[in-house]
Amino acid sequence: MKIVVDWDRCEANGVCVRAAPESFHLDDKDQLHVLTETVPPELRAKVDKAILGCPKQALSLSED
Amino acid sequence: MSLQTPSHPPTVSFSPDAPGYVLDPYPALEALRTKAPLYYWPEGRGWLLTRYEDAAAVLKDARRFSPNRAEWEYASVLGSAAMIPELVELNKAGLFALSGSDHARVRKLVSPALTPRAIERLKPELQVIIDDILNDLAGRDTINVVSDIADRIPPRVIGSMLKIPKGRETLFQRFTEAAVKSFLPGLLRPEEVAVMRTDVQEGIALVRETIEDRRRNPLPDDILTTLIQTEEQGDRLSTAELLSLVSALIVGGFETTIHLIGFTVYNVLKRPELLAQVQAQPELLKGVVEEVLRFDNFGKMGIARYALEDVEMGGVTIKKGQMVLVMLNSALRDESVFPNADAFDVRRNTNASIAFGHGMHFCLGASLARLEVQLVVETFIKRFPALRLAKEPSFGPHPVIRKMETLEVQLNQQ
Ligand code: HEM
Ligand code: SF4
């Protein structure tokens, strides 16, 4: 499972960073970075919360 | 589980004006949540949703639930539009009511100004405002935190963000109150409406003036200038949208912040052991603010959505055009999501909190509100180490907020 970001949608509000700080980071230019592109099983629940919580629906998981 | 149909009304009732509700709405909310989690409230002419799961689902379901009051079955009779035509103009383009691509477009333009980093950069400016307001308290013995501190912060902060000439920001206050109250027009007295209309008119005039002034005198690194120039480069933001946007910052950011400051100070001061911990470790305040929003939410009611089609939920049918009040205050005490929900625990995990909403209308000002409130409370506590509660707070009438009117605290040792 890989985290996919729709960059056009992301508004850098940091909701995902609060939900899963191990997997998401906002730099000081408000650019989002995915720290764990492949989601380790122990972070899956947090990443799911981040995806669900994203106000812009900018996050998803892809199979490959 | 019992099914509720109109022929078998649940044996609960809901009266937010009952004595005691504003002080402690939680027993009433718990009764709803456990006995009738989807309850049609005849007086408010809408459904009350009190479970976390239903609340989150409705807020996430933009296809079937709109925040646009015009979709309400009673919009033409009870909508604020019917009573205050000026609000039609504001609501038409206001972020709160927009949906789909219109919403995304406007939100995209304003969101860069409110990201966590952008807000972090405002910190020195915020600190100056806070210090200035606290300086005015020097020599006082007992103060009212609501009027002496909380009320004065957001006008200065938003005024500073929009670079409004000092002194004029306070004019925003009544405009905000009117616009916030208009959210539940069914509960307003007719004589209130006339006064509100004047406040709304004056508020709109002030915002319009500010926009025009900035058009003539653009400023560097300025939110309003950026928004105006974006408007003029392409057909991106109309004047109506600009007006709505500025109003949204005022409406969304004033009373909320004022109350979060009051409720946070109260929740800390009424727990002397917590006050001592926060004095020793100010970084605890982050968790305190989140827990105050969860455990003692200043919301009296909930946030409104209007069904765009018939929706089956939890054994009831929400009809097209009906209003749903998503009771965040209740959802935030739902045991199934927050174990031991009725305990105040500043170290709990509040990641699931929906105090700032959920889904596409998630609060744009969340980072600002969090930083603002943390800084105010931290500075206040540091400045007055002997701070203590003088009296329990008093509450006044308000259709949607548990309106804290006075919070008297003693600043110095007697
Ligand atoms: C204590 C502080 C605050 C709380 C608890 C709060 C809560 C909320 C909630 C629950 C929503 C969602 C409304 C809905 O879904 O219908 C919202 C939206 C919004 N808030 Fe806040 N808010 C706070 C402070 C602020 C501040 C300081 C600002 C502005 C600077 C602000 C601006 C907004 C705006 C513009 C929206 C609409 C976003 C949209 O529709 O896309 N809020 N807020
Ligand atoms: S929650 Fe969504 S919009 Fe916000 S920073 Fe993360 S990806 Fe971007």
Side-chain angles (χ1 to χ4, degrees):
Chain A
M1 285 297 189
K2 280 190 168 163
I3 298 171
V4 181
V5 183
D6 181 340
W7 301 105
D8 283 345
R9 284 178 175 245
C10 175
E11 66 178 15
N13 51 43
V15 172
C16 57
V17 180
R18 291 181 77 89
E22 299 86 351
S23 298
F24 300 97
H25 170 72
L26 276 173
D27 69 20
D28 47 14
K29 293 194 175 64
D30 272 337
Q31 179 67 40
L32 184 70
H33 297 270
V34 176
L35 306 176
T36 59
E37 200 190 10
T38 306
V39 187
E42 69 277 14
L43 291 179
R44 181 60 194 270
K46 283 187 171 183
V47 169
D48 282 346
K49 279 218 179 79
I51 292 174
L52 196 69
C54 171
K56 303 300 294 177
Q57 293 176 306
L59 299 173
S60 56
L61 285 179
S62 84
E63 293 300 333
D64 40 58
Chain B
M1 283 297 324
S2 67
L3 286 187
Q4 301 125 36
T5 60
S7 52
H8 296 92
T11 54
V12 293
S13 61
F14 181 71
S15 36
D17 290 327
Y21 180 88
V22 169
L23 214 63
D24 183 9
Y26 292 104
L29 294 171
E30 187 185 343
L32 285 174
R33 196 166 64 243
T34 51
K35 293 187 192 135
L38 292 98
Y39 171 68
Y40 190 82
W41 177 37
E43 292 82 3
R45 305 198 199 197
W47 293 90
L48 301 174
L49 259 60
T50 43
R51 272 193 311 222
Y52 183 95
E53 197 189 334
D54 298 330
V58 165
L59 295 179
K60 205 62 193 172
D61 190 349
R63 194 177 57 79
R64 297 192 297 176
F65 292 99
S66 163
N68 188 356
R69 174 97 49 80
E71 305 289 347
W72 192 23
E73 55 184 341
Y74 297 112
S76 57
V77 253
L78 283 179
S80 51
M83 301 182 295
I84 304 180
E86 287 78 7
L87 281 176
V88 184
E89 183 181 349
L90 280 188
N91 288 341
K92 242 188 346 216
L95 263 176
F96 295 103
L98 289 180
S99 49
S101 54
D102 288 337
H103 176 262
R105 180 173 136 265
V106 175
R107 189 161 165 135
K108 190 167 188 163
L109 288 168
V110 71
S111 58
L114 294 160
T115 64
R117 310 290 140 161
I119 297 306
E120 196 60 37
R121 282 193 287 272
L122 283 180
K123 203 169 169 177
E125 220 171 295
L126 291 179
Q127 191 67 58
V128 170
I129 293 172
I130 294 166
D131 288 339
D132 198 34
I133 288 169
L134 293 184
N135 280 343
D136 286 351
L137 304 177
R140 303 267 304 271
D141 178 42
T142 306
I143 63 153
N144 173 3
V145 173
V146 180
S147 57
D148 289 321
I149 301 178
D151 277 352
R152 304 179 57 198
I153 302 274
R156 289 279 303 270
V157 170
I158 305 274
S160 160
M161 278 179 75
L162 297 174
K163 302 198 175 71
I164 283 166
K166 238 177 131 181
R168 304 237 31 206
E169 325 95 309
T170 44
L171 271 176
F172 281 154
Q173 192 88 31
R174 280 178 305 144
F175 171 47
T176 331
E177 278 174 20
V180 172
K181 280 184 179 172
S182 73
F183 271 78
L184 262 194
L187 299 180
L188 284 174
R189 292 187 311 269
E191 61 272 22
E192 278 182 287
V193 176
V195 181
M196 277 171 49
R197 181 160 181 198
T198 316
D199 291 346
V200 169
Q201 285 166 339
E202 285 177 14
I204 291 176
L206 175 61
V207 177
R208 215 183 259 288
E209 227 175 88
T210 309
I211 293 171
E212 288 315 317
D213 175 63
R214 201 59 43 84
R215 218 188 275 284
R216 286 190 301 270
N217 310 300
L219 296 171
D221 293 325
D222 171 60
I223 298 169
L224 206 49
T225 304
T226 312
L227 291 172
I228 289 169
Q229 289 174 349
T230 321
E231 174 198 1
E232 287 174 346
Q233 273 158 22
D235 170 36
R236 303 279 320 260
L237 267 188
S238 67
T239 300
E241 282 171 331
L242 215 46
L243 194 63
S244 300
L245 208 55
V246 173
S247 312
L249 295 183
I250 297 169
V251 172
F254 272 40
E255 280 204 286
T256 47
T257 310
I258 290 169
H259 279 79
L260 188 52
I261 292 171
F263 277 63
T264 304
V265 170
Y266 172 59
N267 274 280
V268 171
L269 293 192
K270 81 170 179 185
R271 297 179 175 86
E273 72 295 354
L274 177 62
L275 174 62
Q277 286 171 7
V278 170
Q279 279 169 329
Q281 288 173 276
E283 59 285 2
L284 271 180
L285 273 172
K286 273 196 172 128
V288 172
V289 171
E290 298 303 317
E291 185 64 346
V292 168
L293 279 169
R294 188 200 70 81
F295 174 89
D296 197 10
N297 195 284
F298 56 74
K300 179 174 173 185
M301 303 302 303
I303 52 185
R305 290 294 185 270
Y306 306 90
L308 297 173
E309 56 183 73
D310 288 4
V311 178
E312 305 279 342
M313 253 187 116
V316 304
T317 304
I318 297 165
K319 295 241 168 56
K320 177 173 190 238
Q322 285 188 325
M323 175 169 73
V324 171
L325 290 172
V326 179
M327 305 295 277
L328 300 180
N329 43 10
S330 170
L332 292 163
R333 287 276 195 118
D334 192 329
E335 277 289 325
S336 60
V337 178
F338 303 100
N340 209 358
D342 289 337
F344 183 82
D345 174 6
V346 303
R347 290 180 178 82
R348 80 160 65 231
N349 179 344
T350 52
N351 273 348
S353 176
I354 51 173
F356 287 105
H358 184 61
M360 62 189 286
H361 292 278
F362 178 83
C363 180
L364 266 174
S367 298
L368 175 61
R370 284 176 166 130
L371 181 66
E372 217 174 322
V373 176
Q374 275 164 36
L375 267 187
V376 171
V377 180
E378 182 183 336
T379 312
F380 185 43
I381 287 174
K382 219 184 262 167
R383 188 74 164 265
F384 301 100
L387 202 59
R388 62 190 179 86
L389 211 55
K391 256 200 215 150
E392 284 297 304
S394 71
F395 294 85
H398 193 288
V400 295
I401 283 182
R402 297 164 59 202
K403 190 171 172 63
M404 193 183 273
E405 276 182 344
T406 65
L407 175 61
E408 289 187 22
V409 305
Q410 211 162 22
L411 298 181
N412 305 302
Q413 208 80 46
Q414 289 270 280

